[in-house]
Amino acid sequence: MIGLVAKDFIVFKKICKPAYRLLGIILLLCACIFIPQAAIPYISLLLPLVGVAFLTELVKIEEKSDWKNYLPVLPITDKEIVVGRYLFSGILFVSLSVLTFLLCIIAAFTGHFSFTTVVPNLVLGMCCTVLTICLGVPSGFVFKQSNCTGAMIAAIMVCAVIRSTGLDTAFFAASSFLTYTLLIIGMALLLYLSYRASLSIFRKRRHAKSKVASND
């Protein structure tokens, strides 16, 4: 499983070269320092989501390399392959969320506004990113880039509906330890259901490939 996660990160590093990563961080820092009040609503809401959307690119690369043809004969279990993809997504999510959190602190300091004003966008962006993982990983195991892309769009649309209906405002207006606990439990439940769906989809496709290969 560690090898699978390492493989995903090697692909990530190959696509997102060090120069691009450095340039992106510099641009984000400049935006937070020089135009914090204009930049931070978008950074706090979209940065983790944009990073995890790399799942779409990963699926496309696996399609081109015929990775799916190697899966039936790999000496690892279905569970290890599926968990590896969630682990890769989780590491990206945590890393980008920490980066977003630090950028929000810098923006609040340079823009002379309270960090608490950024929290609603930050939490909504993180929830939308979790939803992207929940939809994107099982869709990606279908090995069709269009399906994975559609899952990303669906997550963004859900985020837009929450924002347009004011559900996020109502949530933070009644925010308490209980509401945050329920939110965390809800996200955890979604991740579990997504994992079970991914494992079921992957097992069916992997075993179907194995039968085809044995018949040939």
Side-chain angles (χ1 to χ4, degrees):
M1 185 174 67
I2 300 300
L4 292 171
V5 177
K7 182 269 296 181
D8 289 345
F9 274 105
I10 289 172
V11 175
F12 179 80
K13 289 176 65 177
K14 185 177 180 180
I15 298 296
C16 189
K17 299 183 183 297
Y20 296 154
R21 296 198 296 269
L22 180 60
L23 178 60
I25 292 175
I26 291 174
L27 291 175
L28 288 170
L29 282 172
C30 289
C32 290
I33 293 172
F34 297 110
I35 50 171
Q37 291 181 328
I40 206 60
Y42 301 99
I43 292 175
S44 59
L45 185 63
L46 297 175
L47 182 56
L49 179 64
V50 169
V52 173
F54 176 76
L55 280 170
T56 300
E57 190 66 24
L58 187 60
V59 170
K60 182 173 71 173
I61 292 171
E62 289 181 347
E63 287 178 20
K64 289 183 177 180
S65 64
D66 291 326
W67 171 248
K68 60 185 177 181
N69 294 329
Y70 297 99
L71 289 177
V73 295
L74 286 178
I76 48 179
T77 65
D78 301 335
K79 184 177 180 180
E80 287 175 326
I81 294 174
V82 174
V83 171
R85 183 53 53 86
Y86 279 96
L87 184 58
F88 167 74
S89 303
I91 293 172
L92 274 184
F93 168 66
V94 172
S95 301
L96 291 166
S97 296
V98 171
L99 176 60
T100 305
F101 182 80
L102 294 175
L103 290 171
C104 289
I105 291 177
I106 293 172
F109 179 76
T110 58
H112 304 291
F113 57 86
S114 174
F115 175 76
T116 56
T117 61
V118 182
V119 172
N121 269 0
L122 185 59
V123 173
L124 182 59
M126 293 175 67
C127 290
C128 187
T129 305
V130 172
L131 183 60
T132 301
I133 295 172
C134 291
L135 296 174
V137 173
S139 296
F141 279 123
V142 182
F143 299 111
K144 293 293 182 180
Q145 185 197 359
S146 57
N147 290 343
C148 195
T149 303
M152 306 296 175
I153 295 173
I156 294 174
M157 290 180 64
V158 170
C159 183
V161 168
I162 292 174
R163 173 55 55 86
S164 63
T165 56
L167 290 175
D168 57 330
T169 303
F171 172 82
F172 287 103
S175 62
S176 64
F177 177 78
L178 178 61
T179 55
Y180 281 107
T181 300
L182 291 175
L183 179 64
I184 293 172
I185 292 174
M187 292 294 103
L189 179 60
L190 282 176
L191 280 170
Y192 176 75
L193 293 175
S194 172
Y195 163 73
R196 298 304 303 179
S198 295
L199 189 57
S200 176
I201 292 170
F202 181 77
R203 278 176 174 165
K204 289 179 181 178
R205 295 188 65 85
R206 190 184 192 188
H207 294 164
K209 289 288 181 182
S210 298
K211 290 180 180 178
V212 172
S214 61
N215 290 335
D216 292 340

